[in-house]
Amino acid sequence: MKKTGLLAIAFMTIFSTYGQIETTVFEQPYRLKADGKIIDVVETGHSAPFIYDYNNDGKDDLLVGYFGKERSDTDLVRGGHHLTKGGCNIYLNMGTNENPEYTFTGKLLAGGKQAYVPTDCCVGFVPRVADLDGDGIDDILSGSYPGQAYFYKGIGEGMYKAYQFLRDKTGKAMNPDHTTTITPFDWDEDGDLDLVWGVRFKGTFVSFNTGSKTAPQFEAPKHIEMEKYGDKKMYELSSHSVPIDWDGDGHFDLVCGSEQGDVFWYKNIGKKGSPKFGDPEMLIINNKRGHRTLEGDNSKPHGTRCKVFPYDYNNDGKLDLLIGDTYSTADKAPKLTPEQEIGLEELQSEYIMNPPEEINELNAKCAKFANVRYKELMDNNADLTETEARGLAWMDLPEDLLIPLKKYYKKAAEDLKDYFKLKSGQPYSHGYVWVYIRK
Protein backbone atom coordinates (compact mmCIF):
# COMPACT_ATOMS: atom_id res chain seq x y z
CA MET A 1 0.00 0.00 0.00
CA LYS A 2 1.30 3.45 -0.81
CA LYS A 3 1.88 6.04 1.87
CA THR A 4 1.11 9.70 1.33
CA GLY A 5 1.80 12.91 3.19
CA LEU A 6 -1.37 14.73 4.11
CA LEU A 7 -2.26 18.39 4.27
CA ALA A 8 -4.11 19.72 7.28
CA ILE A 9 -7.74 20.51 6.54
CA ALA A 10 -9.56 23.60 7.70
CA PHE A 11 -12.56 23.55 10.00
CA MET A 12 -15.56 22.48 7.98
CA THR A 13 -18.78 24.48 7.67
CA ILE A 14 -21.76 22.28 6.85
CA PHE A 15 -24.31 23.42 4.30
CA SER A 16 -27.68 21.84 3.55
CA THR A 17 -28.97 20.37 0.31
CA TYR A 18 -31.84 18.06 1.14
CA GLY A 19 -31.71 14.81 -0.77
CA GLN A 20 -27.99 15.20 -1.43
CA ILE A 21 -24.92 14.77 0.69
CA GLU A 22 -23.69 17.58 2.91
CA THR A 23 -19.97 18.15 2.68
CA THR A 24 -17.47 20.87 1.92
CA VAL A 25 -14.55 18.46 1.98
CA PHE A 26 -15.20 16.39 -1.16
CA GLU A 27 -16.15 16.79 -4.78
CA GLN A 28 -19.43 15.32 -6.03
CA PRO A 29 -19.03 11.52 -5.82
CA TYR A 30 -19.02 9.03 -8.66
CA ARG A 31 -19.31 5.26 -8.81
CA LEU A 32 -16.52 2.93 -9.91
CA LYS A 33 -16.93 0.78 -13.01
CA ALA A 34 -15.57 -2.58 -14.08
CA ASP A 35 -15.77 -3.97 -17.61
CA GLY A 36 -17.53 -0.77 -18.69
CA LYS A 37 -20.39 -1.10 -16.17
CA ILE A 38 -21.00 0.41 -12.76
CA ILE A 39 -19.93 -2.07 -10.08
CA ASP A 40 -23.04 -3.30 -8.31
CA VAL A 41 -22.89 -6.27 -5.95
CA VAL A 42 -26.49 -7.25 -6.51
CA GLU A 43 -26.23 -10.40 -4.38
CA THR A 44 -27.81 -8.40 -1.54
CA GLY A 45 -25.72 -5.24 -1.46
CA HIS A 46 -23.50 -4.23 1.46
CA SER A 47 -20.45 -3.53 -0.67
CA ALA A 48 -17.11 -3.00 1.07
CA PRO A 49 -14.12 -1.79 -1.02
CA PHE A 50 -10.41 -2.27 -0.42
CA ILE A 51 -7.60 -1.19 -2.78
CA TYR A 52 -4.72 -3.66 -2.92
CA ASP A 53 -2.18 -5.01 -5.43
CA TYR A 54 -3.71 -8.47 -5.45
CA ASN A 55 -1.60 -10.01 -8.23
CA ASN A 56 1.64 -8.21 -7.28
CA ASP A 57 2.11 -6.51 -10.66
CA GLY A 58 2.65 -3.02 -9.26
CA LYS A 59 -0.91 -1.87 -10.02
CA ASP A 60 -3.57 -1.33 -7.38
CA ASP A 61 -6.52 -3.69 -7.79
CA LEU A 62 -9.92 -3.58 -6.14
CA LEU A 63 -11.47 -6.03 -3.68
CA VAL A 64 -15.19 -5.64 -2.97
CA GLY A 65 -16.89 -7.62 -0.22
CA TYR A 66 -20.62 -8.25 -0.29
CA PHE A 67 -23.51 -9.83 1.63
CA GLY A 68 -24.52 -12.89 -0.42
CA LYS A 69 -27.80 -14.64 -1.19
CA GLU A 70 -26.84 -18.28 -0.75
CA ARG A 71 -27.79 -19.67 2.64
CA SER A 72 -25.01 -20.74 4.98
CA ASP A 73 -24.46 -24.48 5.25
CA THR A 74 -25.16 -24.15 8.98
CA ASP A 75 -28.53 -22.41 8.57
CA LEU A 76 -30.51 -24.14 5.81
CA VAL A 77 -33.86 -24.70 7.53
CA ARG A 78 -34.76 -21.86 9.89
CA GLY A 79 -37.38 -19.42 8.58
CA GLY A 80 -37.13 -15.63 8.76
CA HIS A 81 -33.66 -14.21 9.38
CA HIS A 82 -30.92 -16.69 8.53
CA LEU A 83 -27.19 -16.65 7.85
CA THR A 84 -25.97 -16.32 4.27
CA LYS A 85 -22.55 -16.62 2.62
CA GLY A 86 -20.88 -13.23 2.29
CA GLY A 87 -18.05 -13.25 -0.25
CA CYS A 88 -15.48 -11.03 -1.94
CA ASN A 89 -15.11 -10.09 -5.62
CA ILE A 90 -11.72 -9.43 -7.23
CA TYR A 91 -11.35 -6.70 -9.86
CA LEU A 92 -7.87 -6.56 -11.38
CA ASN A 93 -6.55 -3.22 -12.64
CA MET A 94 -5.83 -3.54 -16.36
CA GLY A 95 -4.98 0.16 -16.66
CA THR A 96 -2.55 2.14 -14.51
CA ASN A 97 -2.59 3.50 -10.98
CA GLU A 98 -3.26 6.94 -12.45
CA ASN A 99 -6.05 5.69 -14.73
CA PRO A 100 -7.32 2.37 -13.38
CA GLU A 101 -9.46 0.11 -15.53
CA TYR A 102 -10.99 -2.70 -13.51
CA THR A 103 -12.14 -6.06 -14.78
CA PHE A 104 -13.93 -8.71 -12.75
CA THR A 105 -11.68 -11.78 -12.46
CA GLY A 106 -13.51 -13.97 -9.98
CA LYS A 107 -14.22 -14.56 -6.31
CA LEU A 108 -11.73 -14.68 -3.48
CA LEU A 109 -10.77 -18.30 -2.83
CA ALA A 110 -9.45 -19.89 0.36
CA GLY A 111 -8.57 -23.53 0.85
CA GLY A 112 -9.46 -24.15 -2.80
CA LYS A 113 -13.06 -22.98 -2.27
CA GLN A 114 -14.87 -19.68 -2.34
CA ALA A 115 -14.09 -17.69 0.81
CA TYR A 116 -17.18 -16.90 2.86
CA VAL A 117 -18.12 -15.30 6.16
CA PRO A 118 -21.61 -15.77 7.68
CA THR A 119 -23.71 -12.65 7.10
CA ASP A 120 -27.18 -11.49 8.00
CA CYS A 121 -29.11 -8.26 8.29
CA CYS A 122 -26.46 -5.58 8.51
CA VAL A 123 -22.98 -6.50 7.31
CA GLY A 124 -21.28 -8.47 4.56
CA PHE A 125 -17.70 -9.58 3.92
CA VAL A 126 -15.50 -6.54 4.68
CA PRO A 127 -12.00 -7.40 3.40
CA ARG A 128 -8.84 -6.12 5.00
CA VAL A 129 -5.31 -7.15 4.00
CA ALA A 130 -2.23 -7.29 6.26
CA ASP A 131 0.70 -9.54 7.09
CA LEU A 132 -0.78 -10.38 10.47
CA ASP A 133 1.76 -13.04 11.46
CA GLY A 134 4.87 -11.32 10.06
CA ASP A 135 5.89 -14.10 7.68
CA GLY A 136 6.24 -11.73 4.72
CA ILE A 137 3.01 -12.89 3.05
CA ASP A 138 -0.19 -10.87 3.22
CA ASP A 139 -3.28 -12.38 4.83
CA ILE A 140 -6.94 -11.43 4.48
CA LEU A 141 -9.37 -10.79 7.32
CA SER A 142 -13.05 -9.96 7.71
CA GLY A 143 -15.54 -9.53 10.50
CA SER A 144 -18.90 -11.27 10.32
CA TYR A 145 -22.51 -11.06 11.44
CA PRO A 146 -22.09 -13.51 14.36
CA GLY A 147 -19.10 -11.37 15.33
CA GLN A 148 -15.99 -13.55 15.00
CA ALA A 149 -12.96 -12.42 13.01
CA TYR A 150 -12.31 -14.67 9.99
CA PHE A 151 -8.61 -15.05 9.15
CA TYR A 152 -7.42 -16.38 5.78
CA LYS A 153 -3.72 -17.06 5.99
CA GLY A 154 -1.83 -16.12 2.83
CA ILE A 155 0.42 -18.75 1.31
CA GLY A 156 1.60 -16.71 -1.68
CA GLU A 157 0.60 -16.04 -5.31
CA GLY A 158 -2.92 -14.97 -4.37
CA MET A 159 -3.66 -18.19 -2.51
CA TYR A 160 -5.04 -18.51 1.01
CA LYS A 161 -5.74 -21.26 3.50
CA ALA A 162 -9.27 -22.00 4.71
CA TYR A 163 -10.44 -19.67 7.44
CA GLN A 164 -9.48 -19.78 11.09
CA PHE A 165 -11.03 -17.74 13.86
CA LEU A 166 -8.72 -15.18 15.38
CA ARG A 167 -8.44 -16.09 19.05
CA ASP A 168 -7.36 -14.30 22.18
CA LYS A 169 -4.42 -15.61 24.16
CA THR A 170 -6.72 -17.88 26.20
CA GLY A 171 -7.80 -19.66 23.01
CA LYS A 172 -11.27 -18.13 22.86
CA ALA A 173 -12.56 -16.91 19.49
CA MET A 174 -12.62 -13.12 19.82
CA ASN A 175 -16.06 -11.58 19.46
CA PRO A 176 -17.05 -8.15 20.84
CA ASP A 177 -20.67 -8.55 19.63
CA HIS A 178 -22.56 -9.32 16.44
CA THR A 179 -22.11 -7.34 13.19
CA THR A 180 -18.39 -6.65 13.16
CA THR A 181 -15.70 -5.23 10.93
CA ILE A 182 -12.00 -5.58 11.69
CA THR A 183 -8.84 -3.68 10.72
CA PRO A 184 -5.28 -4.79 11.61
CA PHE A 185 -3.39 -1.74 12.87
CA ASP A 186 -0.62 -0.89 15.35
CA TRP A 187 -2.86 0.98 17.79
CA ASP A 188 -0.33 1.30 20.62
CA GLU A 189 2.57 1.86 18.18
CA ASP A 190 4.77 -0.85 19.66
CA GLY A 191 5.75 -2.41 16.33
CA ASP A 192 3.15 -5.16 16.01
CA LEU A 193 -0.40 -5.29 14.70
CA ASP A 194 -3.39 -4.97 16.98
CA LEU A 195 -7.00 -5.44 15.84
CA VAL A 196 -9.45 -2.56 15.55
CA TRP A 197 -13.11 -3.56 15.55
CA GLY A 198 -16.19 -1.67 14.44
CA VAL A 199 -19.39 -2.98 16.01
CA ARG A 200 -22.89 -1.94 15.01
CA PHE A 201 -24.54 0.15 17.75
CA LYS A 202 -21.50 -0.35 20.01
CA GLY A 203 -18.69 1.63 18.34
CA THR A 204 -14.96 0.90 18.41
CA PHE A 205 -13.08 -1.93 20.16
CA VAL A 206 -9.38 -2.85 20.16
CA SER A 207 -7.72 -6.23 20.74
CA PHE A 208 -4.18 -5.46 21.83
CA ASN A 209 -1.34 -7.68 20.65
CA THR A 210 0.77 -8.53 23.69
CA GLY A 211 2.86 -10.99 21.72
CA SER A 212 5.11 -9.98 18.86
CA LYS A 213 5.06 -9.17 15.17
CA THR A 214 5.65 -12.80 14.19
CA ALA A 215 3.86 -14.49 17.11
CA PRO A 216 0.81 -12.37 17.90
CA GLN A 217 -1.14 -12.91 21.11
CA PHE A 218 -4.31 -10.88 21.36
CA GLU A 219 -6.18 -9.60 24.37
CA ALA A 220 -9.97 -9.82 24.37
CA PRO A 221 -11.61 -6.85 22.58
CA LYS A 222 -11.68 -3.70 24.73
CA HIS A 223 -14.24 -0.96 24.15
CA ILE A 224 -12.81 2.48 23.35
CA GLU A 225 -14.99 5.24 24.75
CA MET A 226 -15.69 8.02 22.26
CA GLU A 227 -18.27 10.74 21.96
CA LYS A 228 -21.33 9.97 19.86
CA TYR A 229 -22.20 12.27 16.99
CA GLY A 230 -25.43 13.79 15.72
CA ASP A 231 -28.50 13.57 17.92
CA LYS A 232 -26.89 10.97 20.19
CA LYS A 233 -29.27 8.15 19.43
CA MET A 234 -28.01 4.62 19.86
CA TYR A 235 -26.96 4.27 16.23
CA GLU A 236 -24.84 7.44 16.24
CA LEU A 237 -21.69 5.42 16.71
CA SER A 238 -19.23 4.00 14.25
CA SER A 239 -20.11 0.65 12.73
CA HIS A 240 -16.86 0.77 10.73
CA SER A 241 -13.79 2.29 12.40
CA VAL A 242 -10.67 2.84 10.29
CA PRO A 243 -7.47 4.17 11.91
CA ILE A 244 -5.49 6.47 9.60
CA ASP A 245 -3.70 9.83 9.75
CA TRP A 246 -6.52 11.87 8.22
CA ASP A 247 -5.13 15.36 8.91
CA GLY A 248 -1.44 14.65 8.27
CA ASP A 249 -0.14 15.66 11.69
CA GLY A 250 1.76 12.42 12.25
CA HIS A 251 -0.82 10.85 14.59
CA PHE A 252 -3.41 8.35 13.44
CA ASP A 253 -7.04 9.41 13.68
CA LEU A 254 -10.25 7.42 13.21
CA VAL A 255 -12.38 7.72 10.07
CA CYS A 256 -15.76 6.15 10.68
CA GLY A 257 -18.78 4.99 8.71
CA SER A 258 -22.21 4.80 10.29
CA GLU A 259 -25.31 2.66 10.03
CA GLN A 260 -27.17 5.62 8.52
CA GLY A 261 -24.54 6.40 5.88
CA ASP A 262 -22.78 9.32 7.57
CA VAL A 263 -18.97 9.57 7.62
CA PHE A 264 -17.16 11.33 10.45
CA TRP A 265 -13.72 11.37 12.02
CA TYR A 266 -12.11 11.65 15.43
CA LYS A 267 -8.89 13.65 15.67
CA ASN A 268 -6.23 11.98 17.77
CA ILE A 269 -5.19 14.54 20.40
CA GLY A 270 -3.16 12.08 22.42
CA LYS A 271 0.48 11.04 22.32
CA LYS A 272 2.36 8.31 20.48
CA GLY A 273 1.34 4.95 21.89
CA SER A 274 -1.46 6.53 23.94
CA PRO A 275 -4.16 7.80 21.59
CA LYS A 276 -6.93 10.09 22.78
CA PHE A 277 -9.73 11.33 20.60
CA GLY A 278 -11.56 14.61 20.41
CA ASP A 279 -15.16 15.19 19.50
CA PRO A 280 -16.38 13.74 16.19
CA GLU A 281 -16.25 16.01 13.15
CA MET A 282 -18.52 15.34 10.20
CA LEU A 283 -17.07 14.61 6.78
CA ILE A 284 -20.24 13.52 5.00
CA ILE A 285 -23.80 13.89 6.23
CA ASN A 286 -26.15 11.59 4.38
CA ASN A 287 -29.16 13.74 5.21
CA LYS A 288 -31.57 11.64 3.20
CA ARG A 289 -31.15 8.93 5.82
CA GLY A 290 -32.88 5.72 4.96
CA HIS A 291 -33.28 6.71 1.30
CA ARG A 292 -33.86 3.77 -1.00
CA THR A 293 -33.84 5.12 -4.54
CA LEU A 294 -31.26 5.80 -7.18
CA GLU A 295 -32.25 7.18 -10.56
CA GLY A 296 -30.30 5.96 -13.58
CA ASP A 297 -26.59 6.69 -13.58
CA ASN A 298 -26.90 10.10 -11.97
CA SER A 299 -24.72 10.75 -8.95
CA LYS A 300 -26.81 10.68 -5.79
CA PRO A 301 -25.88 10.25 -2.14
CA HIS A 302 -24.48 6.86 -1.31
CA GLY A 303 -26.66 4.39 0.58
CA THR A 304 -26.71 3.22 4.17
CA ARG A 305 -24.41 1.01 6.31
CA CYS A 306 -21.40 2.55 4.62
CA LYS A 307 -17.98 0.92 4.71
CA VAL A 308 -15.13 3.39 4.32
CA PHE A 309 -11.68 3.06 2.81
CA PRO A 310 -9.52 6.22 3.03
CA TYR A 311 -7.10 6.24 0.12
CA ASP A 312 -5.34 8.78 -2.12
CA TYR A 313 -7.25 7.72 -5.21
CA ASN A 314 -6.13 10.54 -7.54
CA ASN A 315 -2.50 10.64 -6.36
CA ASP A 316 -2.55 14.29 -5.31
CA GLY A 317 -1.14 13.73 -1.81
CA LYS A 318 -4.50 14.00 -0.04
CA LEU A 319 -6.59 11.12 1.26
CA ASP A 320 -9.87 10.59 -0.55
CA LEU A 321 -12.66 8.21 0.43
CA LEU A 322 -14.00 5.06 -1.16
CA ILE A 323 -17.38 4.10 0.26
CA GLY A 324 -19.36 0.88 -0.05
CA ASP A 325 -23.07 0.92 0.71
CA THR A 326 -26.36 -0.89 0.45
CA TYR A 327 -29.36 0.23 -1.60
CA SER A 328 -32.81 -1.28 -2.05
CA THR A 329 -34.96 -0.37 -5.02
CA ALA A 330 -38.07 -1.78 -6.65
CA ASP A 331 -39.85 -1.54 -9.96
CA LYS A 332 -43.13 0.32 -9.89
CA ALA A 333 -45.88 -1.96 -8.63
CA PRO A 334 -48.15 -3.10 -11.47
CA LYS A 335 -51.80 -2.14 -11.71
CA LEU A 336 -53.75 -5.15 -10.48
CA THR A 337 -56.93 -6.64 -11.78
CA PRO A 338 -59.75 -7.23 -9.26
CA GLU A 339 -58.97 -10.95 -9.41
CA GLN A 340 -55.30 -10.34 -8.61
CA GLU A 341 -56.22 -8.12 -5.66
CA ILE A 342 -58.47 -10.85 -4.24
CA GLY A 343 -55.72 -13.42 -4.78
CA LEU A 344 -53.16 -11.29 -2.93
CA GLU A 345 -55.52 -10.81 -0.01
CA GLU A 346 -56.05 -14.56 0.21
CA LEU A 347 -52.30 -15.27 0.10
CA GLN A 348 -51.61 -12.63 2.74
CA SER A 349 -54.24 -14.15 5.00
CA GLU A 350 -53.05 -17.74 4.49
CA TYR A 351 -49.30 -17.24 4.83
CA ILE A 352 -48.78 -13.98 6.69
CA MET A 353 -51.76 -12.96 8.80
CA ASN A 354 -53.67 -16.17 9.56
CA PRO A 355 -51.67 -19.35 8.86
CA PRO A 356 -53.55 -22.64 9.34
CA GLU A 357 -53.68 -23.82 12.95
CA GLU A 358 -51.75 -26.99 12.15
CA ILE A 359 -48.90 -24.84 10.80
CA ASN A 360 -48.87 -22.71 13.95
CA GLU A 361 -48.70 -25.89 16.01
CA LEU A 362 -45.90 -27.28 13.83
CA ASN A 363 -43.86 -24.09 14.15
CA ALA A 364 -44.40 -24.07 17.91
CA LYS A 365 -43.12 -27.66 18.23
CA CYS A 366 -40.08 -26.85 16.06
CA ALA A 367 -39.29 -23.72 18.08
CA LYS A 368 -39.62 -25.63 21.35
CA PHE A 369 -37.14 -28.25 20.13
CA ALA A 370 -34.71 -25.63 18.78
CA ASN A 371 -34.82 -23.59 21.98
CA VAL A 372 -33.43 -26.58 23.87
CA ARG A 373 -31.12 -27.92 21.18
CA TYR A 374 -29.22 -24.69 20.51
CA LYS A 375 -28.10 -24.50 24.14
CA GLU A 376 -26.82 -28.08 23.95
CA LEU A 377 -24.88 -27.24 20.80
CA MET A 378 -23.30 -24.20 22.47
CA ASP A 379 -22.36 -26.29 25.51
CA ASN A 380 -20.53 -28.71 23.21
CA ASN A 381 -18.79 -26.08 21.05
CA ALA A 382 -17.41 -22.94 22.67
CA ASP A 383 -16.90 -21.28 19.27
CA LEU A 384 -20.61 -21.22 18.44
CA THR A 385 -22.56 -18.02 18.86
CA GLU A 386 -26.27 -18.16 19.65
CA THR A 387 -27.12 -17.08 16.10
CA GLU A 388 -25.14 -19.97 14.61
CA ALA A 389 -26.36 -22.48 17.17
CA ARG A 390 -30.00 -21.63 16.51
CA GLY A 391 -29.50 -22.21 12.79
CA LEU A 392 -27.90 -25.58 13.46
CA ALA A 393 -30.64 -26.50 15.95
CA TRP A 394 -33.34 -26.16 13.27
CA MET A 395 -31.27 -28.43 11.01
CA ASP A 396 -31.32 -31.03 13.81
CA LEU A 397 -35.12 -31.22 13.95
CA PRO A 398 -36.44 -34.79 14.15
CA GLU A 399 -37.85 -36.08 10.87
CA ASP A 400 -41.47 -36.01 12.05
CA LEU A 401 -41.06 -32.22 12.34
CA LEU A 402 -38.48 -31.52 9.65
CA ILE A 403 -40.24 -33.24 6.74
CA PRO A 404 -43.64 -31.48 7.08
CA LEU A 405 -41.88 -28.17 7.77
CA LYS A 406 -39.82 -28.40 4.58
CA LYS A 407 -42.94 -29.39 2.65
CA TYR A 408 -44.79 -26.33 3.94
CA TYR A 409 -41.87 -24.00 3.16
CA LYS A 410 -41.67 -25.36 -0.39
CA LYS A 411 -45.39 -24.84 -0.99
CA ALA A 412 -45.24 -21.33 0.52
CA ALA A 413 -42.29 -20.40 -1.71
CA GLU A 414 -44.20 -21.51 -4.82
CA ASP A 415 -47.44 -19.79 -3.81
CA LEU A 416 -45.69 -16.54 -2.82
CA LYS A 417 -43.28 -16.45 -5.76
CA ASP A 418 -45.02 -13.49 -7.41
CA TYR A 419 -46.71 -12.06 -4.32
CA PHE A 420 -44.22 -9.36 -3.43
CA LYS A 421 -43.59 -8.40 -7.06
CA LEU A 422 -47.31 -7.81 -7.54
CA LYS A 423 -47.74 -6.06 -4.21
CA SER A 424 -44.73 -3.72 -4.21
CA GLY A 425 -42.88 -4.20 -7.51
CA GLN A 426 -39.87 -6.38 -8.25
CA PRO A 427 -37.30 -5.65 -5.49
CA TYR A 428 -33.57 -5.24 -6.09
CA SER A 429 -30.61 -4.93 -3.74
CA HIS A 430 -27.49 -3.00 -4.69
CA GLY A 431 -24.03 -2.27 -3.38
CA TYR A 432 -21.91 0.34 -5.15
CA VAL A 433 -18.37 1.66 -4.72
CA TRP A 434 -18.43 5.44 -4.48
CA VAL A 435 -15.36 7.66 -4.85
CA TYR A 436 -15.25 10.95 -2.96
CA ILE A 437 -12.28 13.04 -4.12
CA ARG A 438 -10.94 15.43 -1.50
CA LYS A 439 -10.96 19.08 -2.53
Side-chain angles (χ1 to χ4, degrees), residues 71-76 83 118 388 390-393 395:
R71 292 188 71 140
S72 168
D73 295 338
T74 63
D75 203 352
L76 297 174
L83 296 174
E388 294 165 305
R390 285 189 177 277
L392 288 167
M395 293 174 64

PDB file of all heavy atoms in Angstrom, residues 71-76 83 118 388 390-393 395:
ATOM      1  N   ARG A  71     -27.709 -19.395   1.218  1.00  0.00           N
ATOM      2  CA  ARG A  71     -27.789 -19.670   2.644  1.00  0.00           C
ATOM      3  C   ARG A  71     -26.532 -20.379   3.128  1.00  0.00           C
ATOM      4  O   ARG A  71     -25.938 -21.197   2.426  1.00  0.00           O
ATOM      5  CB  ARG A  71     -29.019 -20.527   2.962  1.00  0.00           C
ATOM      6  CG  ARG A  71     -30.329 -19.806   2.745  1.00  0.00           C
ATOM      7  CD  ARG A  71     -31.510 -20.610   3.237  1.00  0.00           C
ATOM      8  NE  ARG A  71     -31.561 -20.674   4.687  1.00  0.00           N
ATOM      9  CZ  ARG A  71     -32.678 -20.589   5.406  1.00  0.00           C
ATOM     10  NH1 ARG A  71     -33.840 -20.435   4.801  1.00  0.00           N
ATOM     11  NH2 ARG A  71     -32.649 -20.667   6.718  1.00  0.00           N
ATOM     12  N   SER A  72     -26.148 -20.067   4.360  1.00  0.00           N
ATOM     13  CA  SER A  72     -25.011 -20.738   4.983  1.00  0.00           C
ATOM     14  C   SER A  72     -25.324 -22.217   5.172  1.00  0.00           C
ATOM     15  O   SER A  72     -26.466 -22.606   5.441  1.00  0.00           O
ATOM     16  CB  SER A  72     -24.706 -20.096   6.336  1.00  0.00           C
ATOM     17  OG  SER A  72     -23.811 -20.883   7.076  1.00  0.00           O
ATOM     18  N   ASP A  73     -24.293 -23.040   5.058  1.00  0.00           N
ATOM     19  CA  ASP A  73     -24.459 -24.483   5.248  1.00  0.00           C
ATOM     20  C   ASP A  73     -24.920 -24.826   6.660  1.00  0.00           C
ATOM     21  O   ASP A  73     -25.416 -25.924   6.905  1.00  0.00           O
ATOM     22  CB  ASP A  73     -23.137 -25.204   4.964  1.00  0.00           C
ATOM     23  CG  ASP A  73     -22.713 -25.077   3.509  1.00  0.00           C
ATOM     24  OD1 ASP A  73     -23.587 -24.821   2.657  1.00  0.00           O
ATOM     25  OD2 ASP A  73     -21.514 -25.224   3.233  1.00  0.00           O
ATOM     26  N   THR A  74     -24.757 -23.902   7.595  1.00  0.00           N
ATOM     27  CA  THR A  74     -25.157 -24.149   8.980  1.00  0.00           C
ATOM     28  C   THR A  74     -26.547 -23.606   9.300  1.00  0.00           C
ATOM     29  O   THR A  74     -26.984 -23.671  10.453  1.00  0.00           O
ATOM     30  CB  THR A  74     -24.151 -23.504   9.946  1.00  0.00           C
ATOM     31  OG1 THR A  74     -24.164 -22.083   9.747  1.00  0.00           O
ATOM     32  CG2 THR A  74     -22.752 -24.038   9.705  1.00  0.00           C
ATOM     33  N   ASP A  75     -27.242 -23.068   8.297  1.00  0.00           N
ATOM     34  CA  ASP A  75     -28.526 -22.406   8.566  1.00  0.00           C
ATOM     35  C   ASP A  75     -29.459 -22.574   7.369  1.00  0.00           C
ATOM     36  O   ASP A  75     -29.937 -21.610   6.790  1.00  0.00           O
ATOM     37  CB  ASP A  75     -28.298 -20.925   8.867  1.00  0.00           C
ATOM     38  CG  ASP A  75     -29.425 -20.301   9.669  1.00  0.00           C
ATOM     39  OD1 ASP A  75     -30.450 -20.964   9.877  1.00  0.00           O
ATOM     40  OD2 ASP A  75     -29.262 -19.142  10.096  1.00  0.00           O
ATOM     41  N   LEU A  76     -29.755 -23.845   7.024  1.00  0.00           N
ATOM     42  CA  LEU A  76     -30.506 -24.144   5.806  1.00  0.00           C
ATOM     43  C   LEU A  76     -32.006 -24.293   6.027  1.00  0.00           C
ATOM     44  O   LEU A  76     -32.764 -24.345   5.051  1.00  0.00           O
ATOM     45  CB  LEU A  76     -29.967 -25.432   5.168  1.00  0.00           C
ATOM     46  CG  LEU A  76     -28.517 -25.395   4.690  1.00  0.00           C
ATOM     47  CD1 LEU A  76     -28.079 -26.781   4.220  1.00  0.00           C
ATOM     48  CD2 LEU A  76     -28.352 -24.381   3.563  1.00  0.00           C
ATOM     49  N   LEU A  83     -28.547 -16.990   8.286  1.00  0.00           N
ATOM     50  CA  LEU A  83     -27.194 -16.655   7.852  1.00  0.00           C
ATOM     51  C   LEU A  83     -27.005 -16.989   6.380  1.00  0.00           C
ATOM     52  O   LEU A  83     -27.476 -18.020   5.894  1.00  0.00           O
ATOM     53  CB  LEU A  83     -26.170 -17.415   8.693  1.00  0.00           C
ATOM     54  CG  LEU A  83     -26.147 -17.062  10.178  1.00  0.00           C
ATOM     55  CD1 LEU A  83     -25.198 -17.979  10.924  1.00  0.00           C
ATOM     56  CD2 LEU A  83     -25.771 -15.604  10.395  1.00  0.00           C
ATOM     57  N   PRO A 118     -20.157 -15.763   7.476  1.00  0.00           N
ATOM     58  CA  PRO A 118     -21.608 -15.767   7.679  1.00  0.00           C
ATOM     59  C   PRO A 118     -22.129 -14.342   7.844  1.00  0.00           C
ATOM     60  O   PRO A 118     -21.587 -13.557   8.626  1.00  0.00           O
ATOM     61  CB  PRO A 118     -21.783 -16.585   8.963  1.00  0.00           C
ATOM     62  CG  PRO A 118     -20.478 -16.520   9.652  1.00  0.00           C
ATOM     63  CD  PRO A 118     -19.434 -16.369   8.609  1.00  0.00           C
ATOM     64  N   GLU A 388     -25.537 -18.772  15.359  1.00  0.00           N
ATOM     65  CA  GLU A 388     -25.142 -19.966  14.614  1.00  0.00           C
ATOM     66  C   GLU A 388     -25.774 -21.216  15.207  1.00  0.00           C
ATOM     67  O   GLU A 388     -26.227 -22.105  14.474  1.00  0.00           O
ATOM     68  CB  GLU A 388     -23.617 -20.077  14.624  1.00  0.00           C
ATOM     69  CG  GLU A 388     -22.927 -18.962  13.864  1.00  0.00           C
ATOM     70  CD  GLU A 388     -21.449 -18.881  14.187  1.00  0.00           C
ATOM     71  OE1 GLU A 388     -21.103 -18.762  15.375  1.00  0.00           O
ATOM     72  OE2 GLU A 388     -20.644 -18.928  13.245  1.00  0.00           O
ATOM     73  N   ARG A 390     -28.565 -21.539  16.822  1.00  0.00           N
ATOM     74  CA  ARG A 390     -29.995 -21.627  16.514  1.00  0.00           C
ATOM     75  C   ARG A 390     -30.224 -22.133  15.096  1.00  0.00           C
ATOM     76  O   ARG A 390     -31.149 -22.909  14.835  1.00  0.00           O
ATOM     77  CB  ARG A 390     -30.665 -20.270  16.722  1.00  0.00           C
ATOM     78  CG  ARG A 390     -30.876 -19.920  18.195  1.00  0.00           C
ATOM     79  CD  ARG A 390     -31.723 -18.679  18.363  1.00  0.00           C
ATOM     80  NE  ARG A 390     -31.989 -18.374  19.761  1.00  0.00           N
ATOM     81  CZ  ARG A 390     -32.960 -18.922  20.485  1.00  0.00           C
ATOM     82  NH1 ARG A 390     -33.761 -19.834  19.940  1.00  0.00           N
ATOM     83  NH2 ARG A 390     -33.142 -18.572  21.752  1.00  0.00           N
ATOM     84  N   GLY A 391     -29.385 -21.693  14.152  1.00  0.00           N
ATOM     85  CA  GLY A 391     -29.504 -22.211  12.791  1.00  0.00           C
ATOM     86  C   GLY A 391     -29.249 -23.700  12.734  1.00  0.00           C
ATOM     87  O   GLY A 391     -29.990 -24.451  12.071  1.00  0.00           O
ATOM     88  N   LEU A 392     -28.220 -24.152  13.421  1.00  0.00           N
ATOM     89  CA  LEU A 392     -27.901 -25.581  13.458  1.00  0.00           C
ATOM     90  C   LEU A 392     -28.985 -26.378  14.176  1.00  0.00           C
ATOM     91  O   LEU A 392     -29.281 -27.528  13.797  1.00  0.00           O
ATOM     92  CB  LEU A 392     -26.556 -25.792  14.153  1.00  0.00           C
ATOM     93  CG  LEU A 392     -25.315 -25.369  13.374  1.00  0.00           C
ATOM     94  CD1 LEU A 392     -24.097 -25.323  14.284  1.00  0.00           C
ATOM     95  CD2 LEU A 392     -25.075 -26.309  12.198  1.00  0.00           C
ATOM     96  N   ALA A 393     -29.598 -25.792  15.192  1.00  0.00           N
ATOM     97  CA  ALA A 393     -30.639 -26.500  15.947  1.00  0.00           C
ATOM     98  C   ALA A 393     -31.833 -26.829  15.051  1.00  0.00           C
ATOM     99  O   ALA A 393     -32.399 -27.927  15.139  1.00  0.00           O
ATOM    100  CB  ALA A 393     -31.086 -25.659  17.143  1.00  0.00           C
ATOM    101  N   MET A 395     -31.701 -27.363  11.916  1.00  0.00           N
ATOM    102  CA  MET A 395     -31.273 -28.428  11.012  1.00  0.00           C
ATOM    103  C   MET A 395     -31.291 -29.787  11.694  1.00  0.00           C
ATOM    104  O   MET A 395     -31.307 -30.824  11.033  1.00  0.00           O
ATOM    105  CB  MET A 395     -29.878 -28.116  10.461  1.00  0.00           C
ATOM    106  CG  MET A 395     -29.852 -26.906   9.536  1.00  0.00           C
ATOM    107  SD  MET A 395     -28.182 -26.428   9.020  1.00  0.00           S
ATOM    108  CE  MET A 395     -27.685 -27.869   8.090  1.00  0.00           C
TER     109      MET A 395
END
